[in-house]
């Protein structure tokens, strides 16, 4: 594992198995608190793929959904 500035990491490579599965490296699981059986959300664009803990994304989504509209949004 390589640790860069501002909490950025390089965890190495992961081989995709015959069923399309990958193993998230141990260092990454420990740093991000990913436990066996936990759901993760996969997001992507034409540049790459991101793995996000589902519970963190759901907290973010709830925050967005409960946000009060600003004056500009009401007009």
């Amino acid at each position: 594992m390589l640790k860069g500035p501002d909490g950025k990491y390089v965890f190495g490579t992961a081989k995709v198995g015959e069923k399309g599965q990958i193993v998230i490296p141990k260092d990454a699981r420990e740093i991000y608190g990913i436990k066996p059986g936990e759901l993760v959300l996969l997001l992507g664009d034409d540049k790459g793929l991101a793995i996000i803990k589902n519970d963190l994304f759901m907290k973010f989504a709830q925050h967005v959904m409960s946000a009060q509209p600003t004056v500009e949004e009401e007009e």
Side-chain angles (χ1 to χ4, degrees):
M1 174 185 74
L2 298 173
K3 185 171 193 269
D6 302 324
K8 294 184 180 6
Y9 299 91
V10 174
F11 293 106
T13 61
K15 187 175 184 178
V16 179
E18 290 182 24
K19 295 181 181 181
Q21 298 169 318
I22 63 168
V23 174
I24 299 171
K26 182 180 178 187
D27 289 338
R29 294 191 317 266
E30 289 175 351
I31 288 169
Y32 297 107
I34 299 171
K35 307 289 184 219
E38 190 166 21
L39 291 176
V40 293
L41 178 66
L42 303 175
L43 301 173
D45 64 12
D46 59 350
K47 294 181 176 65
L49 182 67
I51 300 172
I52 301 170
K53 288 180 64 170
N54 191 61
D55 62 337
L56 293 177
F57 179 79
M58 292 305 292
K59 286 178 187 175
F60 168 75
Q62 288 171 347
H63 177 74
V64 169
M65 296 300 288
S66 67
Q68 298 296 318
T70 64
V71 174
E72 294 171 356
E73 292 173 340
E74 292 175 347
E75 294 176 353

